[in-house]
Amino acid sequence: LLTSSMEDYLEMIYRIQKEKGLVRVKTLAEMLNVRDSSVTKMVQKLAAINLINYEKYGIIRLTGEGEEIGEYLLNRHMIVEKFLKIITNDEIKLMDVEMIEHNLDPKLLAHLHQLVLFFENNLDVMEKFCQFKGQNK
Amino acid sequence: LLTSSMEDYLEMIYRIQKEKGLVRVKTLAEMLNVRDSSVTKMVQKLAAINLINYEKYGIIRLTGEGEEIGEYLLNRHMIVEKFLKIITNDEIKLMDVEMIEHNLDPKLLAHLHQLVLFFENNLDVMEKFCQFKGQNK
Ligand SMILES: [Mn+2]
Ligand SMILES: [Mn+2]
């Protein structure tokens, strides 16, 4: 089982690898706002369970399994973020996503995704919901 | 700050006090499916922070503050349960509620409550959502 911290690292590694191709310890430390030494420690843990390979010159690469998990985690993050945007209509805070995502089981996430898609595909319902919330304040 | 376990006890004490008036250590142990000795330990902790009074003959009584928190917790449980019923349409499991409720901040709970009320007050939308899910399977 992965800890919340491991999940955050994997999600970010996947995000960087997708956007920039190459993931460096330095970049990861900057993006996660932690020290290089913390990244190095975590990278060793993730390499030990075969989710990443730690290559020369501080370059990190996801394994096949690591990439699969990273994709799931980034997707999960985006679904929770969209869900929160729909129900709060505020700019939602990263912390709110963080509080929820790590405790969400995959089946429930799939249901949440359906709910998000339902609102996205039925903008009249979205509008009706906004009006409803306005009245109930 | 209350632990998840403290929250579960307070929620159940509130539930029993509301339904039966009197809360006994024995009843609480049965309802929570734990030993009397575990209940006694927790009861001492909750009494130490003035959320309950532990009276003669194994009788537990919520203080004013304990009752307020208990009411919030039972309400939170019911909102999360209703929300899960709406999005999953299955018989939802107690564990699913437990996974979510303890990490839910009050502002987010209020938004979730609005979403539940919206569906409850717009059964046509509920119907539309069920159809949508059926198609997307
Ligand atoms: Mn995240
Ligand atoms: Mn509960």
Side-chain angles (χ1 to χ4, degrees):
Chain A
L1 211 76
L2 300 172
T3 63
S4 298
S5 175
M6 283 168 148
E7 290 190 342
D8 284 333
Y9 271 86
L10 278 176
E11 184 187 325
M12 189 57 87
I13 293 169
Y14 179 80
R15 200 189 286 251
I16 299 170
Q17 184 167 306
K18 216 176 128 193
E19 282 171 15
K20 309 197 177 181
L22 262 184
V23 189
R24 288 175 193 284
V25 169
K26 275 221 161 306
T27 324
L28 196 50
E30 274 164 31
M31 301 281 284
L32 288 167
N33 205 18
V34 295
R35 291 191 200 150
D36 287 15
S37 60
S38 307
V39 172
T40 305
K41 260 190 213 162
M42 180 56 91
V43 156
Q44 284 163 353
K45 280 190 204 166
L46 293 172
I49 54 175
N50 294 314
L51 296 179
I52 61 172
N53 287 312
Y54 190 34
E55 300 177 5
K56 281 184 249 182
Y57 315 115
I59 291 173
I60 296 158
R61 202 179 298 274
L62 290 163
T63 62
E65 198 190 345
E67 195 171 341
E68 224 169 85
I69 297 175
E71 187 182 10
Y72 171 79
L73 295 174
L74 181 58
N75 194 37
R76 183 180 74 179
H77 188 102
M78 291 189 305
I79 292 170
V80 172
E81 190 173 339
K82 281 182 181 175
F83 169 68
L84 291 179
K85 271 200 180 131
I86 290 169
I87 70 164
T88 66
N89 356 300
D90 306 320
E91 274 311 298
I92 63 121
K93 280 160 260 145
L94 183 62
M95 268 312 295
D96 295 329
V97 180
E98 289 300 321
M99 292 277 289
I100 295 173
E101 62 178 359
H102 299 295
N103 298 294
L104 210 55
D105 102 321
K107 257 177 68 186
L108 201 53
L109 181 69
H111 286 299
L112 216 50
H113 195 190
Q114 289 299 310
L115 185 66
V116 168
L117 288 173
F118 174 66
F119 276 108
E120 287 178 347
N121 284 282
N122 293 280
L123 294 176
D124 57 319
V125 174
M126 186 91 95
E127 174 65 21
K128 203 169 173 178
F129 179 47
C130 286
Q131 280 172 12
F132 179 84
K133 283 191 292 184
Q135 288 158 9
N136 268 36
K137 253 181 191 158
Chain B
L1 211 76
L2 301 171
T3 63
S4 298
S5 175
M6 283 169 148
E7 291 190 341
D8 283 333
Y9 270 86
L10 278 176
E11 184 187 323
M12 189 56 88
I13 293 168
Y14 179 81
R15 201 188 283 251
I16 299 171
Q17 184 166 305
K18 215 176 129 193
E19 281 171 17
K20 307 198 177 178
L22 262 184
V23 188
R24 289 175 192 285
V25 169
K26 275 221 162 303
T27 323
L28 197 50
E30 274 164 30
M31 300 280 285
L32 288 167
N33 206 18
V34 295
R35 290 193 199 148
D36 287 15
S37 60
S38 306
V39 172
T40 305
K41 259 189 212 162
M42 180 57 91
V43 156
Q44 284 162 353
K45 278 188 205 167
L46 293 173
I49 54 174
N50 294 314
L51 296 180
I52 61 171
N53 287 312
Y54 190 34
E55 300 176 5
K56 279 183 252 182
Y57 315 115
I59 291 173
I60 296 159
R61 202 180 297 275
L62 290 163
T63 61
E65 198 191 344
E67 196 171 341
E68 225 169 84
I69 297 174
E71 187 182 10
Y72 171 78
L73 295 173
L74 181 58
N75 194 37
R76 183 180 73 179
H77 188 102
M78 289 190 306
I79 292 169
V80 172
E81 190 174 341
K82 280 181 182 177
F83 168 68
L84 291 178
K85 271 199 180 131
I86 290 169
I87 70 164
T88 66
N89 350 301
D90 306 319
E91 275 311 298
I92 62 121
K93 279 160 260 145
L94 183 62
M95 268 311 295
D96 295 330
V97 179
E98 290 299 321
M99 292 277 289
I100 295 173
E101 62 177 359
H102 299 296
N103 298 294
L104 209 56
D105 103 320
K107 256 176 65 186
L108 200 54
L109 181 68
H111 286 299
L112 215 51
H113 195 190
Q114 289 298 310
L115 185 67
V116 168
L117 289 173
F118 173 66
F119 276 108
E120 286 178 347
N121 283 282
N122 293 281
L123 295 178
D124 57 318
V125 174
M126 186 92 94
E127 175 65 21
K128 203 169 173 178
F129 179 46
C130 285
Q131 280 173 11
F132 179 84
K133 283 191 293 185
Q135 288 158 7
N136 267 37
K137 252 179 193 159

